[in-house]
């Protein structure tokens, strides 16, 4: 799974259908980040089963 955050920010996104999914000027990693926080929208989408994840 891919995780992205905007450069200079501490919020990680993991749902590609999140309205705040970074598409430019971002850091990306394939392992779960150990710092920062996760986007509340991504967490909610993951909980209710509507999160689209990038492999």
């Amino acid at each position: 799974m891919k995780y992205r955050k905007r450069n200079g920010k501490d919020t990680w996104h993991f749902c590609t259908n999140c309205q705040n999914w970074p598409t430019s000027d971002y850091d990306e990693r394939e392992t779960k980040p150990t710092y920062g926080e996760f986007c509340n929208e991504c967490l909610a989408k993951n909980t209710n089963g509507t999160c689209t994840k990038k492999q």
Side-chain angles (χ1 to χ4, degrees), residues 1-30:
M1 179 164 59
K2 306 270 186 197
Y3 297 88
R4 288 185 182 180
K5 73 172 188 67
R6 295 193 192 290
N7 286 327
K9 303 293 182 181
D10 291 326
T11 303
W12 289 96
H13 303 271
F14 55 90
C15 296
T16 59
N17 60 331
C18 173
Q19 67 179 359
N20 295 308
W21 176 255
T23 57
S24 63
D25 192 34
Y26 60 84
D27 292 329
E28 183 175 85
R29 61 175 50 210
E30 299 200 18

